[in-house]
Amino acid sequence: MASVQQLVESAKQLVLGKGDFAYVNEDKGSDAAGKGTQQEPFQTLLKAMETFGPDAAIKVCKSGESDYQDASASALKKIKKKYEENQRKAKRLEEQRAKAEQEGQAKVEAEAQRIEEAKKVVLTQDASLPEATKIKIRDSVANRNKRVKVSGWVQNLRVQGKDMMFIDLRDGTGYLQCILTGKLCHTFDALTLTIESTVTLYGVISELPAGKTAPDNHELVADYWEVIHKAPGDKEAFGNKLNAEADPSVLLDQRHLVIRSKKQSAVLRVRAQLMKSFRDHFDSRGYTEVTPPCMVQTQVEGGSTLFTLDYYGEPAYLTQSSQLYLETCLPALGDVWCMAESYRAERSHTRRHLSEYTHLEAEMAFLDFNDLLDKIEDLICDTIDRVLAHEPTRRLVEELNPGFKAPSRPFKRMHYSEAIEYLKEHNIAKEDGTFYEFGEDIPEAPERAMTDQIGVPILLTHFPAEIKAFYMKRSKEDPRLTESVDVLMPNVGEIVGGSMRISDYDELMAAYKREELDPTPYYWYIDQRKYGSSEHAGYGLGVERLLAWLCNRYTVRECSLYPRFTGRCQP
């Protein structure tokens, strides 16, 4: 590789002939694009000297002047000092670069030699040791101080010197710090181990001494280990596929890898316990779980949000809600509930909308509106209490949402009309500066702003009939309003929607007419008002929204295994 001095000399020979001058124009010259000629001058003396050497003859056109003059001796002396200083720096850098290159090459050669030697190291189990008990990491505390065998994925990897290696192991049930020492660190597999490789380790799990920390306050000291499958390194390494700065769309494309992270897997674990707690709640309250269809030929929440499909030549839809089917179960099974996927074709990119979401729904007979509000409140409070009573999940919630406190009863109860007044009093307006008026739907942003300001769960009730679904029962006190409720949570907004259902046949038929809906496909739903109608009510809860509130997630997309929303249907 040519030295800096050689490059300078070459430049001088190429551009300046004997008796030629280098030209510098302080106004019109350019150090970046200039060539040192009168037509393409440099801007500074330093650039001319760097290009043609300290003895070059230089003509200068000073700023504000039009003629070239010989560079003054004082100016050349000053610039020459700077030039020589830069030359010394360049020489030092050149020497450092060459040294680093030489050392790097030596390091590469030494590492290659080390790997070749490592291929000769063969591990064997010590036959004199007790037979290892195969365990999952969740059972590691109960299996301390005896030899165990545990398999999993390498979550993290740290090398300490030549004779110690730390592996943070993950098996889906927990995390375990493992230590490899001596010969165990010298194998080819040890030297080339990568994140997300699968391994099996044998050894004894011991409690850590005071002052040291690790998951469950213990570690496995290995006496033998083996690689089951080695994940790629270099460009395909796990860390190169994902990083904290990755674009959200990249993270969604790589969702199958993202869920391996501690935070995302923690959210999914809390979700699993939350769903179990829902089941425990309903079981303790005497409800029957049912499994309604997801392919339907009726709408519940408006035709504009239906996903259509061809069902053997007939039009059908993916269900928006299982409510209507749950209502038909009341005479047969009493109070019922389900937890199933619902689908809404809303072209909405807000942080709380999904096209496919887990919908918990319940229907109850022989109750009034206040009973409904109490039951919704009971569902949320009892379920959260059950989640937090499960110690492993409580710890995860505390990690994800430090300082979280379960909601206390009773929830704040607020009429829709009071919310309209609140928005005006607290200057929460539309984009054009005007305020929301009675009869208008309150969009997500102002609703969430109000909820965040109040800072507690709200049961928002009695919405105008014009902005609610056709099946909602009207209030006896004010027929303009429905006996309806939305549950609003701080930082998330609406998580539950519910109402008393129309129980009178004539009133329901009038609702179909008002909404211009053909009642024919709903014959089975209408029959509930013919054959033993009763006062009944129900609600639907968005599981991802409740989970986002519980785990303090910014968007519900983090609370779904593989989120589906506008423009996203993979992986």
Side-chain angles (χ1 to χ4, degrees), residues 17 38 104 110 127 202 220-221 251 273 283 309-310 413:
Q38 191 169 357
Y202 297 74
L220 181 145
V221 178
L251 296 179
Q273 189 62 34
D283 187 58
L309 60 111
D310 185 321
R413 301 191 180 191

Side-chain angles (χ1 to χ4, degrees), residues 18-291:
K18 190 174 181 181
D20 287 344
F21 293 98
Y23 287 86
V24 172
N25 190 316
E26 294 179 352
D27 287 333
K28 299 179 180 179
S30 169
D31 285 351
K35 296 180 179 178
T37 64
Q38 191 169 357
Q39 292 76 25
E40 298 177 274
F42 293 128
Q43 189 178 31
T44 66
L45 279 170
L46 181 60
K47 180 64 176 178
M49 199 171 287
E50 287 176 343
T51 304
F52 303 118
D55 299 322
I58 304 174
K59 294 279 189 181
V60 180
C61 181
K62 291 186 174 293
S63 180
E65 298 181 2
S66 58
D67 295 329
Y68 282 94
Q69 304 292 335
D70 289 338
S72 67
S74 60
L76 288 171
K77 182 178 179 181
K78 180 180 179 181
I79 294 302
K80 187 174 182 180
K81 185 178 179 180
K82 179 68 174 175
Y83 165 80
E84 289 173 346
E85 181 184 344
N86 287 352
Q87 289 295 100
R88 288 192 294 272
K89 286 182 179 178
K91 185 178 179 181
R92 285 197 301 272
L93 288 172
E94 181 73 19
E95 291 171 348
Q96 290 171 2
R97 184 200 62 77
K99 183 180 178 181
E101 188 176 272
Q102 187 177 23
E103 290 176 347
Q105 183 60 33
K107 187 176 180 181
V108 168
E109 291 173 358
E111 184 63 19
Q113 179 62 30
R114 185 179 174 215
I115 288 176
E116 285 303 313
E117 292 174 358
K119 291 178 180 178
K120 302 173 186 176
V121 179
V122 178
L123 299 180
T124 56
Q125 289 202 58
D126 186 343
S128 67
L129 294 174
E131 185 178 352
T133 302
K134 184 178 179 180
I135 67 166
K136 294 286 188 181
I137 291 177
R138 65 179 171 227
D139 304 317
S140 55
V141 172
N143 284 277
R144 284 178 179 173
N145 303 317
K146 60 184 179 182
R147 191 164 183 260
V148 298
K149 170 186 175 182
V150 58
S151 301
W153 290 262
V154 177
Q155 178 85 14
N156 200 9
L157 183 63
R158 305 182 304 283
V159 177
Q160 189 170 307
K162 293 182 178 180
D163 293 312
M164 185 172 287
M165 219 171 133
F166 290 87
I167 293 176
D168 293 335
L169 194 68
R170 178 190 81 243
D171 74 346
T173 72
Y175 300 89
L176 179 63
Q177 178 172 286
C178 307
I179 300 179
L180 308 182
T181 59
K183 187 178 179 181
L184 299 181
C185 301
H186 302 158
T187 66
F188 176 77
D189 281 338
L191 298 186
T192 58
L193 190 62
T194 50
I195 301 298
E196 291 303 321
S197 294
T198 45
V199 297
T200 297
L201 297 107
Y202 297 74
V204 176
I205 298 174
S206 301
E207 189 172 1
L208 288 173
K212 293 189 176 183
T213 59
D216 289 324
N217 197 41
H218 61 205
E219 62 189 7
L220 181 145
V221 178
D223 58 60
Y224 178 76
W225 74 292
E226 56 190 352
V227 174
I228 308 303
H229 179 270
K230 194 170 292 181
D234 301 323
K235 292 182 179 180
E236 282 292 303
F238 187 83
N240 293 331
K241 299 278 282 186
L242 297 172
N243 59 71
E245 291 75 34
D247 185 89
S249 64
V250 174
L251 296 179
L252 286 164
D253 287 340
Q254 303 297 326
R255 181 70 177 168
H256 58 294
L257 302 180
V258 169
I259 60 176
R260 299 187 183 196
S261 71
K262 283 190 174 182
K263 189 167 290 186
Q264 283 300 310
S265 62
V267 172
L268 295 176
R269 287 188 180 285
V270 176
R271 177 187 171 107
Q273 189 62 34
L274 177 64
M275 295 173 81
K276 181 179 184 300
S277 297
F278 280 134
R279 285 195 162 85
D280 291 343
H281 166 83
F282 284 112
D283 187 58
S284 70
R285 297 325 191 243
Y287 289 66
T288 299
E289 183 175 4
V290 296
T291 308

Side-chain angles (χ1 to χ4, degrees), residues 257-373:
L257 302 180
V258 169
I259 60 176
R260 299 187 183 196
S261 71
K262 283 190 174 182
K263 189 167 290 186
Q264 283 300 310
S265 62
V267 172
L268 295 176
R269 287 188 180 285
V270 176
R271 177 187 171 107
Q273 189 62 34
L274 177 64
M275 295 173 81
K276 181 179 184 300
S277 297
F278 280 134
R279 285 195 162 85
D280 291 343
H281 166 83
F282 284 112
D283 187 58
S284 70
R285 297 325 191 243
Y287 289 66
T288 299
E289 183 175 4
V290 296
T291 308
C294 68
M295 293 185 289
V296 300
Q297 292 186 308
T298 52
Q299 66 183 49
V300 182
E301 299 295 336
S304 63
T305 65
L306 285 167
F307 282 107
T308 61
L309 60 111
D310 185 321
Y311 188 74
Y312 302 110
E314 291 185 307
Y317 317 105
L318 294 178
T319 184
Q320 300 165 312
S321 166
S322 298
Q323 173 205 320
L324 305 188
Y325 293 95
L326 292 185
E327 287 188 51
T328 69
C329 297
L330 292 176
L333 302 171
D335 296 347
V336 292
W337 76 286
C338 73
M339 191 153 44
E341 300 304 288
S342 284
Y343 304 85
R344 303 280 173 92
E346 293 179 273
R347 295 189 177 276
S348 177
H349 285 279
T350 74
R351 57 180 178 155
R352 70 176 193 177
H353 279 92
L354 292 169
S355 297
E356 176 187 40
Y357 66 98
T358 304
H359 203 178
L360 181 145
E361 298 181 86
E363 291 292 322
M364 300 141 290
F366 305 110
L367 77 172
D368 61 25
F369 188 53
N370 285 326
D371 293 332
L372 171 64
L373 300 184

Side-chain angles (χ1 to χ4, degrees), residues 281-282 287 323 330 335-336 360-380 409 411 413 459-463 471-473 482-487 496-502 535-541:
H281 166 83
F282 284 112
Y287 289 66
Q323 173 205 320
L330 292 176
D335 296 347
V336 292
L360 181 145
E361 298 181 86
E363 291 292 322
M364 300 141 290
F366 305 110
L367 77 172
D368 61 25
F369 188 53
N370 285 326
D371 293 332
L372 171 64
L373 300 184
D374 290 341
K375 287 181 180 294
I376 294 174
E377 188 177 272
D378 180 49
L379 166 75
I380 295 171
R409 311 185 205 194
F411 288 0
R413 301 191 180 191
L459 290 165
L460 188 61
T461 66
H462 296 90
F463 291 85
Y471 51 76
M472 293 189 179
K473 188 178 184 66
T482 54
E483 290 189 325
S484 55
V485 57
D486 285 352
V487 179
V496 178
S499 74
M500 296 297 294
R501 316 308 193 190
I502 293 175
E535 291 299 310
H536 62 287
Y539 55 81
L541 178 148

Side-chain angles (χ1 to χ4, degrees), residues 269-278 280 379-408 546-547 549-551:
R269 287 188 180 285
V270 176
R271 177 187 171 107
Q273 189 62 34
L274 177 64
M275 295 173 81
K276 181 179 184 300
S277 297
F278 280 134
D280 291 343
L379 166 75
I380 295 171
C381 291
D382 182 61
T383 300
I384 297 302
D385 286 345
R386 291 173 185 272
V387 169
L388 298 179
H390 185 252
E391 186 61 22
T393 306
R394 184 189 63 78
R395 290 197 298 267
L396 292 176
V397 171
E398 288 177 349
E399 291 172 10
L400 294 165
N401 193 359
F404 174 80
K405 292 182 179 179
S408 57
L546 182 65
L547 189 62
W549 166 74
L550 177 61
C551 296

